Amino acid sequence: MKYIKQFSIILFLSFLGECLKWCIPLPIPASIYGLLLMLFGLILKIIPIHSVEETGMFFVEVMPYMFIPAGVGIMNSWTELKAMLLPVTVITVMTTALVMVVTGKVTQYMMKKGEKKEDKVL
């Protein structure tokens, strides 16, 4: 029953994301709206982390399986994609590097922020 409740919370936020997509005419996917709602709900403690944690961990565990249909789609579209191989490769490498740099900088910032908090407590 616990998992059904947690999944229902996540599903409800996804539904609200769909509603926002319908109301706000921006080229942003509804799933992004849902993720932002979840983020703000967790930050503002409207949604306690324990109320979605286990189902969220389950979704993270099964995430690799969600890429299988995309991989099959790429294999089926290989003849069309072959002409764009160089630009797609360059974009993929550049965005991967950018994500790695930004993630590293944010992690360093958060670690320094955590160390400063610990120093204040001691």
Side-chain angles (χ1 to χ4, degrees), residues 82-102:
K82 199 184 299 185
M84 299 183 285
L85 186 60
L86 181 63
V88 168
T89 303
V90 170
I91 290 169
T92 302
V93 169
M94 290 176 63
T95 55
T96 300
L98 179 66
V99 167
M100 289 171 65
V101 168
V102 169

Side-chain angles (χ1 to χ4, degrees), residues 43-96:
I43 288 173
L44 299 173
K45 304 214 187 303
I46 297 168
I47 303 168
I49 188 78
H50 65 83
S51 66
V52 292
E53 185 172 22
E54 287 148 347
T55 301
M57 291 304 294
F58 169 75
F59 285 147
V60 170
E61 289 173 8
V62 299
M63 188 184 302
Y65 299 112
M66 302 303 149
F67 289 102
I68 292 172
V72 171
I74 288 173
M75 289 173 25
N76 286 337
S77 305
W78 180 247
T79 54
E80 293 86 16
L81 290 175
K82 199 184 299 185
M84 299 183 285
L85 186 60
L86 181 63
V88 168
T89 303
V90 170
I91 290 169
T92 302
V93 169
M94 290 176 63
T95 55
T96 300

Side-chain angles (χ1 to χ4, degrees), residues 29-40:
S31 58
I32 300 300
Y33 285 121
L35 287 172
L36 288 173
L37 289 171
M38 175 67 83
L39 175 66
F40 291 131

Side-chain angles (χ1 to χ4, degrees), residues 99-112:
V99 167
M100 289 171 65
V101 168
V102 169
T103 302
K105 293 293 183 184
V106 168
T107 302
Q108 287 176 344
Y109 171 77
M110 296 301 285
M111 289 175 69
K112 286 179 184 175

